[in-house]
Amino acid sequence: MASPLPLSAETPDPGFAELIAARPALSLHAQDGLLVEEVPLARIAEVVGTPTWVYSAGTLRRRARALKRALAEAGLRASIHYAVKANSNLAVLHVLAAEGLGADVVSEGELRAARAAGIPASAIVFSGVGKTERELRLALAEDIAQINLESVEEAEMLSALAASLGRTARVALRVNPDVDARTHAKITTGRSENKFGIGIDQAPALYARLAIMPGLAPVGLATHIGSQITSGMAAYRAAYARLAELAQELLARGLPVLHIDCGGGLGIPYRDEPAPLPEALAGAIKSTIGPLGLPVMLEPGRWIAGPAGVLLASVVLQKQTPSRRFLVLDAAMNDLIRPAMYEAWHGILPVSAAAAASPLSPADVVGPVCETGDTFTRGRALPSLHPGALVALLDAGGYGAVMSSTYNMRPLAAEVMVDGARFAVVRDRQSQEALLAGQRLPPWESD
């Protein structure tokens, strides 16, 4: 998250109409209130309850197509591998698979989810600094497109494993270009002090070694410099230029470089901050890596999924103290942790059209979890909302449900997909019984 805004921003927040206008899937009707595509959120709340994640299939398709179009118009031979960590719901993955997207996974669970959603193994890339032997065995058994190696030690482990199984793993070397993406410190990944990748000065020797290690077939280079990058293309250009120079050096040595994995990280405007368009990213790739004539791979996550989702919540109560007004929701930091973890800003809209037109006053929007950090925003201009009133927290489709927990023994929220005038539950609300399932007393305490 680039230059995180404090929970109480100094500049005026965008109004309800501005927030809706900037998000094509949303509309506000006088009688039905706030809609996602053609479905009133009030109807979803009535049928499914709250808190509930609501995803727009149309938004997923629209953004996937916009990125593909930008890359094609730049003349790039490109494949897109959606970063499953942003939102791993099977329905989300299935929609993107139908759009021709592959997957970038970082765990066995994500790999299995991608395959279950219909993404072919030949379109899956496995990233991450701590792949276990079990995970690598699965990747080899599935014969996925590429494993991105992040260390000498990982290369040695994979080589031994692949050779013992009589397999050959297609690998790319993830390079850390030591570029500051000017994003939140917790989600920057391309600086030398970060845990990710191989230092660019070490890469030539290790790549040459990969070419002779049993069980490995080096096919290219990879990088990823961070998440929620909104500061422009300078960091991308710097990283890609270094990667292009490295690729030229390897090719000059006669080493195989079949493609370049450019990673992801393109940011979205949560508030009203400027955010680069996919055309800008495509231009940065074209100007740096383009002259090599190599195919490229991209791994977007948040840019595709973030704007496709909202967190639908109900007001539990409105609490007034001598100094502050609190709106207490039935959603909490265990559902959407980004404000607590990153001081992230999310738009908050009343679902009722009448409420949206009512007088506004500052309110702190909080959850019921026993932490002061369970705060979505402070001093936000919102109407008076009675218990049971509905609100939607915007741009929650990426790094929302996937980062949820059951802290305070709160069940995981339901997930719903909207497609035009249709909606369906795509993940059931966790039951209270399921929270205790699998737990047991030790034998000496069970009497």
Side-chain angles (χ1 to χ4, degrees):
M1 180 185 54
S3 303
L5 290 163
L7 289 172
S8 179
E10 295 180 358
T11 55
D13 292 325
F16 299 154
E18 294 172 271
L19 290 170
I20 293 171
R23 292 157 178 81
L26 299 182
S27 60
L28 186 65
H29 290 195
Q31 292 186 340
D32 292 332
L34 190 64
L35 276 65
V36 170
E37 298 192 27
E38 300 172 46
V39 177
L41 285 173
R43 188 193 309 165
I44 293 176
E46 181 181 359
V47 174
V48 183
T50 59
T52 293
W53 305 94
V54 181
Y55 307 130
S56 161
T59 300
L60 293 169
R61 295 187 188 103
R62 182 168 56 252
R63 295 183 76 83
R65 292 170 189 177
L67 182 55
K68 288 197 294 184
R69 183 169 57 250
L71 295 167
E73 290 176 352
L76 296 168
R77 289 184 291 156
S79 59
I80 301 173
H81 304 262
Y82 167 72
V84 175
K85 60 181 173 286
N87 187 321
S88 56
N89 185 279
L90 288 182
V92 169
L93 298 180
H94 186 75
V95 168
L96 297 177
E99 293 297 313
L101 271 59
D104 167 54
V105 305
V106 295
S107 70
E108 175 183 349
E110 289 187 359
L111 174 51
R112 292 188 182 279
R115 296 292 287 119
I119 297 175
S122 59
I124 295 177
V125 176
F126 203 139
S127 303
V129 300
K131 309 175 195 71
T132 65
E133 180 177 312
R134 174 188 170 100
E135 289 172 327
L136 292 174
R137 283 181 180 273
L138 177 62
L140 290 168
E142 291 283 335
D143 193 24
I144 67 171
Q146 177 175 298
I147 299 172
N148 289 347
L149 295 177
E150 302 241 3
S151 66
V152 175
E153 295 80 2
E154 186 174 60
E156 292 171 343
M157 179 172 69
L158 180 58
S159 173
L161 181 60
S164 71
L165 296 173
R167 300 269 187 169
T168 299
R170 291 175 293 275
V171 298
L173 184 60
R174 177 169 177 177
V175 175
N176 187 322
D178 194 19
V179 167
D180 185 356
R182 298 177 62 81
T183 187
H184 195 288
K186 293 181 180 179
I187 51 177
T188 187
T189 59
R191 299 170 64 181
S192 59
E193 63 263 33
N194 298 141
K195 66 181 179 180
F196 301 94
I198 296 290
I200 200 160
D201 57 333
Q202 301 171 294
L206 179 54
Y207 199 88
R209 185 178 169 192
L210 295 179
I212 60 173
M213 292 178 74
L216 302 185
V219 294
L221 299 170
T223 196
H224 179 70
I225 59 174
S227 183
Q228 183 53 11
I229 299 171
T230 58
S231 57
M233 290 295 109
Y236 278 122
R237 288 195 185 94
Y240 295 159
R242 293 179 186 181
L243 217 61
E245 291 177 4
L246 175 59
Q248 287 178 315
E249 179 181 347
L250 298 176
L251 289 168
R253 293 188 184 187
L255 294 167
V257 180
L258 306 184
H259 51 246
I260 304 289
D261 185 340
C262 298
L266 195 62
I268 62 173
Y270 283 97
R271 190 170 178 265
D272 54 2
E273 66 273 30
L277 297 174
E279 289 79 5
L281 179 60
I285 296 171
K286 181 178 181 179
S287 65
T288 53
I289 297 172
L292 296 176
L294 295 174
V296 296
M297 307 162 75
L298 276 83
E299 298 166 355
R302 181 196 318 266
W303 193 87
I304 289 177
V310 303
L311 176 57
L312 178 62
S314 298
V315 174
V316 176
L317 56 85
Q318 186 168 235
K319 175 182 176 180
Q320 183 68 56
T321 72
S323 60
R324 308 193 75 82
R325 177 169 70 107
F326 293 92
L327 288 173
V328 184
L329 306 183
D330 62 355
M333 64 184 288
N334 74 291
D335 299 301
L336 180 62
I337 199 171
R338 295 190 69 256
M341 180 175 288
Y342 303 124
E343 297 183 324
W345 195 98
H346 284 266
I348 301 176
L349 294 176
V351 169
S352 162
S358 298
L360 308 179
S361 62
D364 294 359
V365 182
V366 301
V369 160
C370 292
E371 300 272 355
T372 302
D374 184 22
T375 298
F376 293 114
T377 188
R378 295 192 183 102
R380 186 74 61 86
L382 288 165
S384 179
L385 294 171
H386 57 79
L390 299 171
V391 296
L393 285 77
L394 307 184
D395 304 311
Y399 302 102
V402 289
M403 296 182 75
S404 297
S405 74
T406 57
Y407 184 46
N408 280 194
M409 289 294 284
R410 291 171 49 82
L412 297 176
E415 296 176 62
V416 165
M417 177 161 282
V418 172
D419 196 351
R422 305 172 294 180
F423 76 91
V425 175
V426 292
R427 182 172 180 173
D428 292 332
R429 187 179 310 282
Q430 189 177 29
S431 67
Q432 291 288 342
E433 293 74 19
L435 283 171
L436 291 174
Q439 297 189 50
R440 61 182 62 84
L441 296 175
W444 57 87
E445 294 287 353
S446 57
D447 295 335

